[in-house]
């Protein structure tokens, strides 16, 4: 790259940074609004922002009672957008999700009745309790951003984001998500317990009958779409791009980064992992008010992008090694530019 080209790139990045500092302010206000309802869980809320900005879906895993559902509902209220909560159960049918054809006797014809999937933010609560047919129906909506009812295909609204929750306990009566569907989620976020200070705040705020906290809308769906346009413009240096590719390649061939853990990995990240890691890193940069991606942006979000895409072997399970441990080892060993 010539000196003149570098100067031009720097000028463009500086201009973009100034615009992003302004456009990212509503997200800071939205974080504060959601914080009026949710104590702690800042990482979860930021990851939901990343999903919105990167046009990707989230899988949220955590034990019951950690405000996963409340966080998604509060986010929808703060954006002033459509929101549907779908409780997934073993007897759920695809038509309950997508809609169906209803016969009108007076008109003697079938009329399409759209289902709850036709909204902006979809909360798929306990997604792993739904049978394979329902999960397959959701797959088209997530990947193609469209729904087919009868012989007609309908595009879904923009923004369209699925935030699915699953419970890591009570596995009886659940249907594990297939790897192909797991790969459709941009991020898998694991929600942990609050610390002692946060637990006391929850006690003070919520330990009364009928405790409710409202969220004031601070954004619109149009703001999300405009912000995505800026995310697309964020600069990613060649060194950072190579770092992203090195991380994903290391999940397929860990020897490339000096790790002898190939026997623990059955399948590594797909090219979709590379794309999502780049988009997620750009979204992180946007939320931090920058027009360029740093290696730290990539490293901060990499575990959430890769943990559900690395499939471990039976040998790894026998050694009680999880995919998270494998990804963390890769992050520790791949050289950071």
């Amino acid at each position: 790259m010539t000196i003149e080209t570098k100067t031009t790139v720097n000028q463009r990045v500086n201009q973009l940074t100034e615009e992003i500092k302004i456009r990212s302010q509503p997200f800071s206000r939205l974080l504060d609004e959601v914080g009026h309802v949710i104590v702690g869980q800042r990482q979860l809320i930021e990851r939901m922002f990343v999903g919105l900005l990167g046009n990707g879906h989230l899988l949220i895993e955590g034990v019951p009672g950690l405000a996963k559902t409340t966080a998604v509902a509060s986010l929808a209220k703060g954006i002033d957008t459509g929101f549907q909560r779908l409780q997934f159960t073993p007897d759920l049918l695809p038509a309950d999700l997508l809609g169906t054809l209803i016969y009108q006797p007076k008109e003697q014809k079938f009329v399409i009745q759209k289902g709850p999937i036709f909204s902006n933010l979809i909360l798929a609560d306990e997604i792993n309790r739904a049978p394979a047919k329902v999960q397959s129906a959701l797959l088209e909506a997530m990947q193609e951003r469209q729904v087919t009812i009868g012989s007609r295909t309908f595009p879904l609204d923009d923004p369209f984001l699925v935030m699915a929750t699953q419970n890591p306990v009570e596995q009886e009566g659940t249907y594990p998500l297939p790897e192909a569907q797991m790969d459709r989620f941009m991020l898998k976020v694991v929600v942990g317990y609050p610390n002692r200070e946060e637990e006391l705040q929850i006690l003070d705020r919520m330990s009364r009958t009928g405790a409710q906290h409202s969220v004031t809308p601070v954004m619109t769906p149009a703001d999300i779409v405009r912000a995505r346009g800026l995310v697309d413009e964020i600069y990613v240096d060649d060194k950072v791009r190579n770092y992203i590719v090195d991380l994903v390649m290391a999940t397929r061939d860990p020897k490339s980064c000096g790790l002898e853990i190939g026997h623990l990995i059955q399948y590594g990240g797909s090219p979709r992992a590379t794309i999502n890691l780049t988009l997620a890193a750009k979204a992180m940069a946007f939320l931090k008010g920058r027009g360029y991606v740093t290696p730290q942006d990539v490293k901060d979000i990499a575990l959430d992008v890769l943990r559900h895409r690395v499939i471990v072997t039976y040998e790894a399970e026998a050694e009680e090694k999880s995919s998270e441990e494998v990804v963390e080892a890769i992050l520790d060993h791949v050289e950071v530019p």
Side-chain angles (χ1 to χ4, degrees), residues 56-320:
H57 309 290
L58 272 72
L59 180 61
I60 306 170
E61 183 179 284
V63 298
L66 296 182
K68 302 184 296 296
T69 303
T70 305
V72 179
S74 300
L75 177 67
K77 291 177 182 176
I79 301 176
D80 192 21
T81 189
F83 170 67
Q84 287 286 349
R85 177 184 180 274
L86 307 175
Q87 182 64 52
F88 279 49
T89 56
D91 60 348
L92 197 69
L93 297 173
D96 298 328
L97 179 68
L98 307 180
T100 188
L101 293 169
I102 296 178
Y103 184 70
Q104 299 285 1
K106 288 184 179 180
E107 301 176 9
Q108 294 186 353
K109 67 177 183 179
F110 285 93
V111 177
I112 290 175
Q113 180 68 45
K114 292 183 178 180
I117 195 72
F118 288 91
S119 190
N120 296 108
L121 295 188
I122 305 296
L123 172 59
D125 220 354
E126 293 194 282
I127 187 174
N128 55 334
R129 292 201 177 278
K133 277 188 176 181
V134 177
Q135 293 179 4
S136 297
L138 184 63
L139 191 65
E140 181 192 9
M142 290 171 58
Q143 182 63 26
E144 307 298 335
R145 312 279 170 161
Q146 64 183 27
V147 166
T148 301
I149 304 175
S151 60
R152 294 183 60 186
T153 300
F154 300 91
L156 293 167
D157 294 336
D158 192 25
F160 174 74
L161 182 67
V162 174
M163 298 187 186
T165 68
Q166 69 175 9
N167 188 341
V169 297
E170 294 181 337
Q171 293 303 311
E172 187 175 343
T174 62
Y175 301 80
L177 292 177
E179 284 78 5
Q181 186 164 347
M182 292 282 282
D183 196 40
R184 261 65 174 185
F185 288 99
M186 172 182 269
L187 307 173
K188 180 183 178 183
V189 185
V190 177
V191 182
Y193 287 112
N195 59 36
R196 180 179 177 81
E197 182 181 338
E198 291 169 346
E199 195 84 19
L200 285 170
Q201 291 182 43
I202 293 170
L203 186 154
D204 293 337
R205 186 179 297 183
M206 304 301 293
S207 60
R208 55 177 64 90
T209 58
Q212 292 184 348
H213 299 273
S214 60
V215 176
T216 303
V218 297
M219 297 177 67
T220 65
D223 294 327
I224 300 293
V225 175
R226 282 194 293 267
R228 284 178 180 172
L230 290 176
V231 169
D232 289 338
E233 297 297 321
I234 288 177
Y235 177 70
V236 184
D237 190 78
D238 286 344
K239 292 181 180 179
V240 177
R241 292 167 69 244
N242 285 321
Y243 178 53
I244 291 171
V245 172
D246 287 344
L247 286 174
V248 177
M249 294 300 292
T251 66
R252 306 171 196 168
D253 179 21
K255 279 187 177 180
S256 63
C257 64
L259 272 175
E260 296 294 333
I261 57 172
H263 63 288
L264 302 178
I265 301 174
Q266 186 174 7
Y267 298 107
S270 70
R272 191 179 282 120
T274 307
I275 296 168
N276 286 342
L277 184 51
T278 305
L279 288 172
K282 284 184 173 185
M284 291 289 287
F286 177 92
L287 293 172
K288 294 174 183 176
R290 279 189 275 102
Y292 58 93
V293 174
T294 66
Q296 192 61 46
D297 293 328
V298 177
K299 198 166 186 177
D300 287 344
I301 200 71
L303 180 59
D304 293 323
V305 174
L306 297 174
R307 61 158 49 103
H308 57 297
R309 292 186 162 94
V310 173
I311 311 302
V312 296
T313 60
Y314 288 116
E315 189 174 347
E317 293 177 3
E319 295 180 17
E320 297 185 346

Side-chain angles (χ1 to χ4, degrees), residues 8-25:
T8 304
V9 170
N10 288 337
Q11 289 175 346
R12 183 164 57 85
V13 169
N14 290 336
Q15 291 173 355
L16 185 61
T17 297
E18 292 303 316
E19 188 173 357
I20 286 175
K21 285 179 181 178
I22 298 171
R23 294 290 185 183
S24 62
Q25 288 177 3

